[in-house]
Amino acid sequence: MISWTAANSRKIARDERKRRLGPLGVLTHVALLIWTLLVMVPILWTFLASVKSEDEIFGDAWSLPAMLRWDNFARAWEQAHIGQYMLNSVIVVSFSTFGTMLIGSMAAYVLARYPFRGNRAIYLLFVSGLAFPVYLALTPLFFVVQNMGTIPVVGPYIGLNTHAGVVLVYIAYSMPFTIFFLSAFFRTLPTAVGEAAMVDGASHTRVFFQIMLPMARPGIISITIFNVLGQWNQYQLPLILLQERDKWVLTMGIADISTAAGYDQDWSALFAALTLAILPMLIVYTVFQRQIQSGLTSGALK
């Protein structure tokens, strides 16, 4: 009896959902299903190809491998130096994301909560960076970073072929979207808590770091993940700024595998390297997906 009642309740709930969805809702679900397949199928195929031999890759593409060839990952890690390139990417992305979030959150907070002359103009100047493709600035950017290398004392550490130089460029590249996103989020936060803290003697800095920043945690986590994904997958910027092979990042190493030997490249190692590049970001998004969704919807719900 209980089993029948539960099954009947589920059927009623399904019917109710179908009734509420309507034609537009059904089309939306179909579109999301198609999009999911378009995203997941290439990723699954890459994972499958990473443990195949080259004959199996170019044979029946969707057949299961006769045996799991983990040596593909060993070749990619050691012979293609993917391990070193991944370490370089971790270093660059860690420092650039930290710098982007520290500077971007402070700038967004000031622009969102402190009215002053020129506030709107500065905000629009930052946001205008979203409409400017970075590829149009590659040549002048190269010379700017090259000239930074001539600065006394610090120049050799922030010029061309330095990770610090790439970090600074990544921070500048990520700043427009960070400020655009966080400014809107900081405007939704209540002012009463911060005002009460200032009445009790807290400084502006303390209010920001100890009160407002924790309150903005969903938005901070969301934009942090977006910056990590964007900077981890960046290829064009490090390509023009890093010529020395030992300074390369992961995307440059993967591209080198596919082009170094012409038609004789190691395809199995290439797909293994792609898998190594995809997995960290897939894990990060899976772990923080709830925080990302919360951050994206909090501003709209408040």
Side-chain angles (χ1 to χ4, degrees):
M1 182 65 179
I2 296 176
S3 171
W4 179 86
T5 304
N8 191 44
S9 300
R10 287 194 295 269
K11 183 178 183 301
I12 293 174
R14 285 196 301 269
D15 293 340
E16 180 66 18
R17 284 197 298 269
K18 290 179 181 178
R19 186 184 65 80
R20 291 180 179 179
L21 280 176
L24 183 60
V26 173
L27 288 176
T28 302
H29 280 68
V30 171
L32 289 174
L33 178 60
I34 294 173
W35 176 254
T36 301
L37 292 175
L38 290 175
V39 172
M40 292 302 301
V41 168
I43 293 177
L44 293 175
W45 189 86
T46 300
F47 291 169
L48 186 63
S50 68
V51 291
K52 285 184 174 183
S53 66
E54 292 193 10
D55 292 336
E56 291 172 328
I57 292 175
F58 291 102
D60 187 354
W62 287 105
S63 64
L64 294 176
M67 59 177 295
L68 299 179
R69 300 180 181 274
W70 301 110
D71 57 303
N72 296 340
F73 290 89
R75 291 199 310 279
W77 189 268
E78 298 174 0
Q79 298 178 16
H81 308 291
I82 291 299
Q84 179 63 47
Y85 301 148
M86 181 175 286
L87 177 61
N88 292 343
S89 286
V90 169
I91 293 172
V92 169
V93 172
S94 297
F95 281 100
S96 60
T97 302
F98 175 78
T100 299
M101 297 311 302
L102 178 63
I103 300 172
S105 61
M106 291 191 293
Y109 176 72
V110 171
L111 292 173
R113 307 302 289 265
Y114 291 87
F116 58 88
R117 187 185 299 272
N119 179 303
R120 189 65 178 174
I122 295 174
Y123 173 76
L124 291 176
L125 184 63
F126 274 115
V127 173
S128 64
L130 294 173
F132 187 79
V134 69
Y135 305 104
L136 296 180
L138 289 179
T139 300
L141 179 63
F142 174 85
F143 289 108
V144 167
V145 178
Q146 185 181 53
N147 292 333
M148 286 169 53
T150 63
I151 299 175
V153 183
V154 299
Y157 303 101
I158 60 174
L160 292 175
N161 295 313
T162 64
H163 288 154
V166 178
V167 167
L168 293 177
V169 171
Y170 276 9
I171 291 174
Y173 166 77
S174 304
M175 199 60 64
F177 181 68
T178 301
I179 291 178
F180 171 74
F181 186 95
L182 290 181
S183 293
F185 197 90
F186 278 124
R187 291 191 187 100
T188 66
L189 299 181
T191 60
V193 179
E195 292 172 351
M198 295 188 70
V199 169
D200 290 339
S203 64
H204 292 280
T205 303
R206 186 175 181 183
V207 169
F208 173 70
F209 282 104
Q210 295 189 358
I211 297 176
M212 290 301 176
L213 207 57
M215 291 174 64
R217 181 181 176 184
I220 295 292
I221 292 177
S222 297
I223 195 63
T224 297
I225 299 303
F226 281 120
N227 282 328
V228 169
L229 292 173
Q231 294 171 10
W232 182 268
N233 294 323
Q234 183 58 242
Y235 173 71
Q236 198 70 38
L237 290 175
L239 181 65
I240 68 168
L241 300 177
L242 300 173
Q243 281 81 44
E244 297 179 4
R245 182 178 288 268
D246 62 327
K247 299 293 181 64
W248 283 4
V249 295
L250 185 58
T251 50
M252 300 171 68
I254 292 175
D256 183 65
I257 295 176
S258 64
T259 59
Y263 291 103
D264 296 327
Q265 61 261 44
D266 190 344
W267 289 98
S268 299
L270 172 62
F271 285 112
L274 285 171
T275 300
L276 291 173
I278 293 171
L279 280 177
M281 296 302 99
L282 196 60
I283 292 171
V284 167
Y285 184 82
T286 302
V287 172
F288 293 102
Q289 61 176 328
R290 291 186 180 276
Q291 288 85 345
I292 294 173
Q293 295 169 359
S294 175
L296 292 175
T297 56
S298 292
L301 296 176
K302 290 183 180 181

